[in-house]
Amino acid sequence: MSAIALRNVRKAYHGGPTVLHDLSMAIEAGEFIVIVGPSGCGKSTLLRLIAGLERADGGDIEIGGTRANDLPPQDRDIAMIFQNYALYPHMSVRENIAFGLELRGVPKRERNARAESVAGMLQLDPYLERKPGALSGGQRQRVAMGRAMARKSSIFLMDEPLSNLDNALRIAMRTEVKELHRQLGATMVYVTHDQTEALSLADRIAVMKDGHLLQFDTPEAIYDRPAHRFVAGFLGVPPMNFLSAKAVPGYSGPEGLTIGLRPEHLSIHAGEPAANGLGVRLLLSEMTGATVILHCESAAGRITLNCARKDMPQGSDALWVNLELSHALYFDEDGKRVELS
Amino acid sequence: MKLRQNATTALALVAGLLFLSPVLYSIWMSFQTAQSYYRGGFEFSLGNYGTAVTKFNFARYLVNSIIVSGMVTLVGLAVSTTAAFAFARFDFKGRDLLFGITVATLMIPSHITLIPNYLTLARVGLLDTYAGLILPAISNGFAAFFLRQYIRGIPRALDEAAYMDGARPLQVLWRVIVPISRPAIFSMGLYIFLGEWNNYIWPLVAVGKEDLYTLQLGLARLYSVNPGEGLIDWPLVMAASTITILPVLFGFFLVERHLVRGITMGAVK
Ligand SMILES: Nc1ncnc2c1ncn2[C@@H]1O[C@H](COP(=O)(O)OP(=O)(O)O)[C@@H](O)[C@H]1O
Ligand SMILES: [Mg+2]
């Protein structure tokens, strides 16, 4: 039995265009699932369908093994963290955290104890009596997490919970979210458009585009064996390079394919190209610290790769890139990955 | 700069006094006797208040007014807040039509509904009762409209957070929407209360029994009380008027601090 199961779920807002097409996925209890995809691809819609805040126009949504399509959100016992936190502005941090318990008739003493222990875990103890208006963005974010944690739901939904934080705080909170998942053991469905968050947090990643689920697999599988050119390009920084196969030296497969190669499978060299070397022209280099990101142009298309600073080719010699074709992925004209035997 | 500020303050003071002067004058007038008023002197006396309360039953009218205006305000707010919540947050068949009709009622002058309301209440036997005074006033299209607009300005994510926390719709209304809308609800309450407090026509039509009179009916009756020689006892009228406005002023100071305050701050980013 899956914690959450979606079967051919379809959604269109008010008879408008379909924003989710026959989406199916099964999420197991205790999994950390990350849903990624570009803005507008239907991630929030999917999450809101699971939460019960929107109704599906087709298909089945099962929670804990029972059909939940017609269950209102208050009966699903799911905790949700909203992108803008949605804290109750007229309640203190303590009341915000304890509100869900109060609605369930938990006695005041127990509510308070629970709110305090949650606040302790999130280092919110000094702010228990403050209103959300008097908190910083990071503190508000913690209150939103605390509110979700207090009820000990078995399912947590998070819609880009860190996207309003500055970079340093976001990275710190990312670790905390992961730690939280380990401690609570709850099923978590986490929406983001940030591929780094996806790779670092997920047990499994669901990649979406235009209302379609393109691939749902472990981060390693998504990274190493993307099912679709879009998936390949969406995860990984710098993104995968796509080269037109016929212009790649040493390629002898069928016509019309695109070769995908990640930057780590390329290296740049000066001088005359070796066999399978692809001549390039350097357009731009970006210093990132120990490595430099190089943007080059070649007969097969644009190429981006990393280069350790000490290995940077010197002088104005002709440059070429070595392609480790054993790591190459092949995509057909529709973007589907194909295996070359 | 400093000069301009002083000038502004002075101007505001003068304007304030100008608006206040009729009230101050009538309060001042209420403390003299009719004789001295008509003779042109000033003779301090609390007698008018005594007369208003003992001879003309103004204490009773005051209680009636408080009951009627209070109930109209409380029940009216409950009805219009609930309606506003439904209009603002729920999708149901015919919602927009219903809302349109609600708004359209604003364009109907109250005099047009006077007779139908009278006939309805006569038929159900509610004339000459508190209910007859209160019921017709509790549906208030303007309050429903105004509060709906306010509630629409509250991020829907707050409702959704409450639903996720396990709240039922009425709990969302009472625990989230109402506290956040407090400034609007208090403002609307004050508006309804004042309107009802000053209502004259409907009590006149709906009530014949003297012990259901509101202050406005009582006041009107005073105009026919002569101190002699066909004159109106203005100081007595002013004393009764003061009795009429003081509770309102007092009430205003009580709710004033709730009226305008942005407390949605910090809800969403
Ligand atoms: N309440 C709504 N009414 C109509 N269209 C909506 C509504 N919410 C989202 N959409 C549309 O549905 C699509 C998916 O939106 P959303 O799920 O918010 O995407 P994401 O979270 O991936 O950015 C978008 O095209 C958006 O315009
Ligand atoms: Mg979204």
Side-chain angles (χ1 to χ4, degrees):
Chain A
M1 183 189 82
S2 305
I4 303 168
L6 307 177
R7 268 190 285 280
N8 304 104
V9 170
R10 204 177 62 76
K11 174 71 186 173
Y13 284 101
H14 307 294
T18 305
V19 297
L20 288 182
H21 303 266
D22 282 337
L23 200 132
S24 300
M25 67 198 295
I27 296 169
E28 304 310 320
E31 270 193 304
F32 198 120
I33 300 299
V34 175
I35 300 175
V36 283
S39 175
C41 70
K43 307 181 296 292
S44 297
T45 303
L46 176 58
L47 212 62
R48 294 168 59 82
L49 282 167
I50 298 173
L53 295 171
E54 301 287 348
R55 290 182 64 90
D57 294 310
D60 287 317
I61 298 170
E62 273 180 21
I63 293 166
T66 48
R67 190 169 182 276
N69 289 45
D70 305 317
L71 219 54
Q74 59 268 37
D75 295 330
R76 295 193 183 192
D77 196 24
I78 291 176
M80 182 153 173
I81 298 173
F82 292 81
Q83 182 171 7
N84 291 324
Y85 315 143
L87 302 179
Y88 311 121
H90 55 294
M91 296 185 196
S92 65
V93 169
R94 178 194 298 276
E95 292 165 332
N96 262 283
I97 294 176
F99 188 56
L101 299 173
E102 189 188 339
L103 290 170
R104 282 177 171 70
V106 176
K108 180 154 192 180
R109 179 193 296 259
E110 208 178 316
R111 279 196 322 253
N112 272 330
R114 182 90 192 117
E116 278 158 29
S117 102
V118 166
M121 286 167 74
L122 296 167
Q123 288 123 46
L124 282 170
D125 344 34
Y127 314 111
L128 271 170
E129 312 309 330
R130 281 204 201 167
K131 299 269 170 72
L135 299 177
S136 72
Q139 290 162 346
R140 285 179 201 172
Q141 211 284 328
R142 282 165 199 274
V143 177
M145 300 231 298
R147 189 168 63 178
M149 284 159 63
R151 272 174 32 221
K152 301 187 174 166
S153 304
S154 58
I155 298 175
F156 278 64
L157 307 178
M158 303 183 227
D159 194 352
E160 310 206 20
L162 308 183
S163 65
N164 286 331
L165 302 180
D166 62 54
N167 204 33
L169 200 52
R170 183 159 63 236
I171 291 167
M173 286 304 289
R174 198 161 75 201
T175 319
E176 288 199 27
V177 168
K178 187 87 186 161
E179 175 61 21
L180 193 71
H181 176 242
R182 201 186 55 76
Q183 279 177 18
L184 301 177
T187 310
M188 296 195 172
V189 184
Y190 184 107
V191 163
T192 180
H193 61 254
D194 178 333
Q195 56 94 30
T196 322
E197 259 173 39
L199 288 170
S200 64
L201 286 172
D203 292 326
R204 284 196 292 163
I205 297 176
V207 185
M208 289 179 61
K209 181 175 184 260
D210 300 335
H212 294 277
L213 180 61
L214 294 182
Q215 192 171 5
F216 183 35
D217 214 328
T218 60
E220 292 76 12
I222 296 254
Y223 191 82
D224 296 337
R225 296 181 298 282
H228 194 276
R229 177 176 163 162
F230 175 83
V231 177
F234 195 77
L235 291 116
V237 236
M240 183 180 280
N241 295 290
F242 297 105
L243 306 172
S244 102
K246 63 178 186 296
V248 169
Y251 171 79
S252 58
E255 294 261 309
L257 294 188
T258 302
I259 292 184
L261 269 169
R262 296 214 177 264
E264 59 264 36
H265 299 128
L266 305 176
S267 53
I268 194 157
H269 308 274
E272 279 309 301
N276 291 357
L278 179 61
V280 297
R281 193 166 68 82
L282 183 62
L283 296 174
L284 189 74
S285 63
E286 283 177 69
M287 230 297 273
T288 62
T291 61
V292 180
I293 301 175
L294 303 174
H295 300 266
C296 311
E297 197 176 50
S298 80
R302 282 282 284 260
I303 293 180
T304 306
L305 71 157
N306 293 314
C307 179
R309 239 162 62 200
K310 62 178 169 48
D311 298 335
M312 275 286 284
Q314 299 297 319
S316 57
D317 289 336
L319 296 172
W320 61 277
V321 165
N322 184 50
L323 313 171
E324 291 178 39
L325 282 181
S326 58
H327 287 104
L329 302 176
Y330 300 91
F331 301 96
D332 66 17
E333 275 154 1
D334 299 328
K336 281 230 171 54
R337 185 161 68 86
V338 293
E339 298 280 354
L340 292 192
S341 44
Chain B
M1 193 63 220
K2 184 89 201 253
L3 191 75
R4 241 174 90 174
Q5 228 171 40
N6 286 341
T8 314
T9 313
L11 200 71
L13 249 153
V14 170
L17 277 175
L18 212 64
F19 283 118
L20 216 57
S21 55
V23 179
L24 295 177
Y25 179 61
S26 65
I27 292 176
W28 179 73
M29 203 202 283
S30 73
F31 287 111
Q32 62 176 322
T33 60
Q35 285 78 5
S36 68
Y37 172 72
Y38 279 108
R39 252 185 269 117
F42 183 82
E43 204 178 303
F44 181 82
S45 150
L46 287 171
N48 295 316
Y49 288 89
T51 312
V53 170
T54 53
K55 204 164 147 212
F56 295 102
N57 218 2
F58 261 72
R60 179 63 197 250
Y61 303 160
L62 180 64
V63 171
N64 286 343
S65 271
I66 290 175
I67 290 175
V68 171
S69 299
M71 287 303 287
V72 165
T73 306
L74 288 182
V75 181
L77 279 181
V79 170
S80 49
T81 306
T82 316
F85 180 54
F87 282 135
R89 290 297 204 242
F90 293 92
D91 267 325
F92 53 91
K93 249 208 167 77
R95 178 188 67 179
D96 296 338
L97 180 70
L98 207 60
F99 184 67
I101 293 172
T102 306
V103 173
T105 61
L106 298 181
M107 290 158 218
I108 302 173
S110 64
H111 305 92
I112 291 182
T113 55
L114 199 65
I115 294 183
N117 276 346
Y118 178 82
L119 294 176
T120 310
L121 289 192
R123 187 154 310 160
V124 295
L126 285 177
L127 293 178
D128 265 331
T129 62
Y130 280 120
L133 283 171
I134 293 163
L135 284 178
I138 60 172
S139 81
N140 189 322
F142 180 66
F145 168 75
F146 178 84
L147 291 173
R148 167 194 181 256
Q149 297 307 100
Y150 193 90
I151 292 172
R152 270 159 66 104
I154 300 173
R156 205 183 263 261
L158 291 180
D159 301 41
E160 293 175 344
Y163 285 119
M164 297 309 295
D165 264 343
R168 313 262 138 205
L170 282 178
Q171 287 173 313
V172 173
L173 174 61
W174 185 243
R175 300 296 307 276
V176 177
I177 298 296
V178 165
I180 294 173
S181 312
R182 213 170 59 169
I185 291 174
F186 270 97
S187 306
M188 212 58 246
L190 188 69
Y191 170 82
I192 295 176
F193 187 87
L194 287 180
E196 191 53 34
W197 191 263
N198 294 327
N199 195 355
Y200 173 65
I201 300 276
W202 179 250
L204 184 68
V205 169
V207 160
K209 272 204 306 232
E210 197 254 331
D211 57 359
L212 280 177
Y213 271 22
T214 59
L215 286 168
Q216 304 300 337
L217 292 183
L219 266 182
R221 228 166 57 125
L222 285 186
Y223 288 95
S224 55
V225 177
N226 295 337
E229 298 149 40
L231 297 169
I232 294 175
D233 187 347
W234 286 116
L236 176 63
V237 171
M238 291 310 150
S241 302
T242 306
I243 293 178
T244 306
I245 56 170
L246 279 188
V248 177
L249 280 183
F250 183 71
F252 178 77
F253 286 124
L254 221 62
V255 300
E256 191 253 343
R257 69 195 174 87
H258 298 295
L259 291 186
V260 212
R261 216 160 110 227
I263 63 165
T264 32
M265 207 190 84
V268 297
K269 205 168 103 95

